[in-house]
């Protein structure tokens, strides 16, 4: 039998590009074996927008406002669900323990997931935005590219939240229950149903600290202004900052040593 | 420790803490190793040495702490106290992560990837980068051949039988020829032919590649195939010896009988202690 070179020891670094992309490629490869999930991820937002367009057939202004908000909310919800289940599976199947016993950094794993689901979110948002703007007559004053940017950040925020809550879920049943627990309050308070400044001051204060409020604000800024406004930049930075913060918290929930 | 039966000559490591053993001949060395989980003490004051290039069997009934000991070795177990040196480093040291192959009891592979895709991914984690792609391919192909899954390389892991998925998990651990293989019940659910083939593979790994193997099992007949044995019960070490020495010392015909003999002895000793108190 031939002798083999022993495993090469690489010094541990914060983020290893090869390991991160390998992880992202693996996550996407898992999804390619599950075409139904991909179809659902990509098609449901389109179908919902289509439905919304004809629900508000008589009032195109309402469709503009709700439609733009939904373009930001869909990626957040779907990526939240997909990530929380995917990482929960990773925890329960023992693959997480195996990976953390290998020279994989926690950052590599999280960045890999963010990269994979970010890619998926770009496809999902591009299709939904394209459909809304070009076929359903969503009236956007600003650039549709900015809509896409906010949608992508929302997806990252969803991935981050999903990763974080999966640490507190012992089963898939619990994981899906975190969706209404984490997402619904934000949905109610983000200004989709009532403008935030028209809410009770206490509720408005709560909505001020919820990231989805800024995601929806950002979408509406693009809707009403030709240029990038200061408010838009603030919204984008807040959403991106929240995503990073929660990703870091998520990394802290990945432990190499467990009881 | 309880394995000092009166009157029985007992070769092996001294239970008292001595100088650190030579890392060239010793793969694992433990002293006063204790692991707690909540209020429960899962491993109590273990001391043993696993020599390099040999197969050491870790035997005992289920729930006796075998898996916990293995997790402590690979550095995934929390609340470990005492000394535990693995390949010259404290257990869990980052440089050990590429030098140990670890197979958990239930197969830890991705069910929604094919066998080859599973191995490709783990190989990319162990040996990352584009320049290593060819080497990785070779390693993956050989690991699949080692566990006799070449004909299933492109099947989804989730569609394989339990025994086959176990072997995928084993193949992942073989990637990159680690110096120490920690295998938690690798032969559970396998038919006799496959079990024999795997044990032949383990011996090849030890003899030809100089790999150290720590293999846990609750099937005592597998003990005869090990070079050394660690017998465990209820978080304690009953014996640390070669199968031959164990049988001779206890006057038993098989390791199973030797184990039962040691259990009875330990129970009797505990009872005497209780009554004299």
């Amino acid at each position: 039998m031939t002798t083999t070179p022993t495993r090469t020891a690489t010094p541990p670094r914060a983020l290893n590009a090869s390991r991160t992309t390998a992880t992202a490629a693996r996550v996407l490869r898992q999804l390619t074996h599950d075409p139904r999930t991909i179809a659902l991820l990509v098609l449901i937002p389109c179908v919902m927008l289509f439905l919304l367009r004809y629900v508000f057939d008589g009032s195109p202004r309402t469709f503009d406002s709700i439609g733009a908000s939904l373009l930001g909310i869909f990626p957040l919800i779907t990526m939240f669900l997909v990530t929380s289940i995917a990482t929960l599976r990773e925890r329960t199947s023992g693959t997480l323990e195996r990976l953390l016993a290998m020279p994989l950094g926690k950052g590599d794993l999280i960045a890999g997931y963010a990269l994979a689901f970010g890619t998926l979110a770009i496809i999902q948002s591009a299709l939904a935005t394209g459909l809304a703007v070009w076929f359903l007559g969503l009236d956007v004053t600003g650039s549709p590219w900015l809509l896409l940017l906010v949608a992508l950040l929302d997806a990252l925020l969803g991935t981050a939240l999903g990763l974080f809550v999966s640490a507190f879920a012992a089963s898939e049943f619990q994981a899906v229950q975190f969706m209404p627990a984490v997402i619904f309050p934000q949905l109610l308070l983000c200004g989709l149903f009532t403008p935030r400044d028209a809410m009770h001051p206490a509720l408005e204060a709560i909505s001020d600290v919820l990231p989805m409020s800024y995601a929806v604000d950002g979408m509406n800024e693009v809707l009403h202004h030709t240029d990038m406004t200061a408010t838009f930049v603030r919204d984008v930075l807040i959403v991106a900052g929240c995503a990073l913060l929660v990703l870091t918290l998520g990394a802290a929930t990945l432990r190499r040593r467990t009881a | 420790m309880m394995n000092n039966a009166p009157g029985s000559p007992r070769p092996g490591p001294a239970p008292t803490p001595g100088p650190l053993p030579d890392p060239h001949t010793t793969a694992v060395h433990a002293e006063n190793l204790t692991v707690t989980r909540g209020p429960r003490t899962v491993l109590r004051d273990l001391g043993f040495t696993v020599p390099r290039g040999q197969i050491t069997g870790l035997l005992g009934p289920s729930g006796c702490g075998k898996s916990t000991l293995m997790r402590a070795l690979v550095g995934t177990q929390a609340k470990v106290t005492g000394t535990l040196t693995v390949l010259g480093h404290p257990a869990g040291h980052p440089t050990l992560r590429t030098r140990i192959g670890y197979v958990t009891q239930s197969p830890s592979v991705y069910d929604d990837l094919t066998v080859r895709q599973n191995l490709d991914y783990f190989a990319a984690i162990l040996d990352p980068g584009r320049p290593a792609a060819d080497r990785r391919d070779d390693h993956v192909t050989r690991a699949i051949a080692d566990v006799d899954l070449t004909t299933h390389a492109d099947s989804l892991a989730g569609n394989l039988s339990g025994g086959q998925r176990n072997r995928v998990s084993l193949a992942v651990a073989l990637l990159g020829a680690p110096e120490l293989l920690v295998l938690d019940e690798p032969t559970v659910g396998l038919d006799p032919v496959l079990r024999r083939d795997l044990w032949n593979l383990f011996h090849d790994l030890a003899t030809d590649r100089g790999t150290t193997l720590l293999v846990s099992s609750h099937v005592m007949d597998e003990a005869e195939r090990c070079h050394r044995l660690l017998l465990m019960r209820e978080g304690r070490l009953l014996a640390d010896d070669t199968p031959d020495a164990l049988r001779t010392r206890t006057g038993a015909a098989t390791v199973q009988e030797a184990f039962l003999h040691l259990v009875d002895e330990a129970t009797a000793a505990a009872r005497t202690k209780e009554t004299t108190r």
Side-chain angles (χ1 to χ4, degrees), chain B residues 185-264:
Chain B
E185 309 248 0
T187 56
V188 159
L190 298 185
D191 64 78
V193 179
L194 268 171
R195 263 171 66 181
R196 184 199 60 197
D197 290 352
L198 275 189
W199 275 99
N200 288 343
L201 171 68
F202 298 161
H203 277 275
D204 287 347
L205 288 169
T207 320
D208 302 334
R209 303 185 203 171
T211 310
T212 308
L213 291 97
L214 183 67
V215 184
S216 81
S217 179
H218 65 269
V219 193
M220 293 286 168
D221 63 344
E222 297 199 323
E224 313 283 347
R225 302 172 191 250
C226 301
H227 298 119
R228 286 193 75 82
L229 292 175
L230 297 171
L231 294 190
M232 281 181 72
R233 187 169 177 268
E234 292 173 357
R236 290 173 192 273
L237 209 56
L238 285 183
D240 170 7
D241 225 328
T242 64
D244 278 341
L246 266 177
R247 283 190 300 259
T248 319
R249 172 150 72 92
T250 53
T254 62
V255 171
Q256 172 150 337
E257 277 177 40
F259 176 79
L260 292 174
H261 179 89
L262 289 168
V263 169
D264 291 344

Side-chain angles (χ1 to χ4, degrees), chain A residues 1 4 7-8 18-19 22-23 26 29-30 33 89-90 93-95 97-99 101-104 256-258, chain B residues 71 75-78 91 97-98 100 102 108 110 112 117 121-122 125-126 128-129 142 169 173 175-178:
Chain A
M1 203 163 285
T4 45
R7 298 182 181 196
T8 43
S18 310
R19 291 195 177 113
T23 303
R26 183 265 295 173
R29 204 163 283 148
Q30 283 178 285
H33 289 291
R89 271 200 210 166
E90 190 105 66
S93 70
T95 47
E97 180 175 339
R98 164 164 253 159
L99 284 173
M102 283 186 174
L104 179 77
R256 284 193 198 270
R257 285 185 184 271
T258 48
Chain B
R71 283 171 40 97
T76 56
Q77 178 67 43
R97 285 179 202 143
T98 48
I100 305 179
Y102 170 42
S108 41
Y110 299 101
D112 42 6
Q117 287 171 342
Y121 172 57
F122 288 111
I125 297 305
L126 287 168
R142 202 178 59 172
S169 200
L175 285 172

Side-chain angles (χ1 to χ4, degrees), chain A residues 23 30 77 84 94 101 123 148 151 155 166 184 187 222 230 237:
Chain A
T23 303
Q30 283 178 285
I77 294 182
S84 57
I123 299 170
L148 207 58
S166 80
F184 272 31
L187 204 59
V222 183
L237 287 179

Side-chain angles (χ1 to χ4, degrees), chain B residues 9 28 33 35 73 79 85 88 102 144 152 155 160-161 165 196 218 220 253 267:
Chain B
V28 180
L33 179 68
V35 174
L73 280 180
K79 302 205 169 144
T85 312
Y102 170 42
I144 296 177
H152 291 86
S155 309
L160 299 177
S161 74
R165 284 165 76 240
R196 184 199 60 197
H218 65 269
M220 293 286 168
T267 321

Side-chain angles (χ1 to χ4, degrees), chain A residues 121-186:
Chain A
I122 289 179
I123 299 170
Q124 184 196 50
S125 305
L127 277 171
T129 311
L131 177 80
V133 173
W134 287 305
F135 293 96
L136 300 178
L138 185 83
D139 198 6
V140 196
T141 317
S143 159
W145 289 107
L146 294 180
L147 286 184
L148 207 58
L149 172 73
V150 181
L152 178 63
L153 289 174
D154 289 348
L156 285 182
L157 179 64
T159 299
L161 287 170
L163 202 84
F164 180 66
V165 301
S166 80
F168 305 99
S171 69
E172 274 92 343
F173 290 135
Q174 293 180 10
V176 291
Q177 293 306 322
F178 274 115
M179 206 278 274
V182 174
I183 302 289
F184 272 31
Q186 302 200 58

Side-chain angles (χ1 to χ4, degrees), chain A residues 53-75:
Chain A
R53 164 68 184 78
Y54 290 100
V55 167
F56 292 107
D57 206 18
S59 54
R61 298 300 302 156
T62 318
F63 172 65
D64 286 349
S65 144
I66 298 185
S69 302
L70 280 185
L71 283 177
I73 291 167
F74 276 133

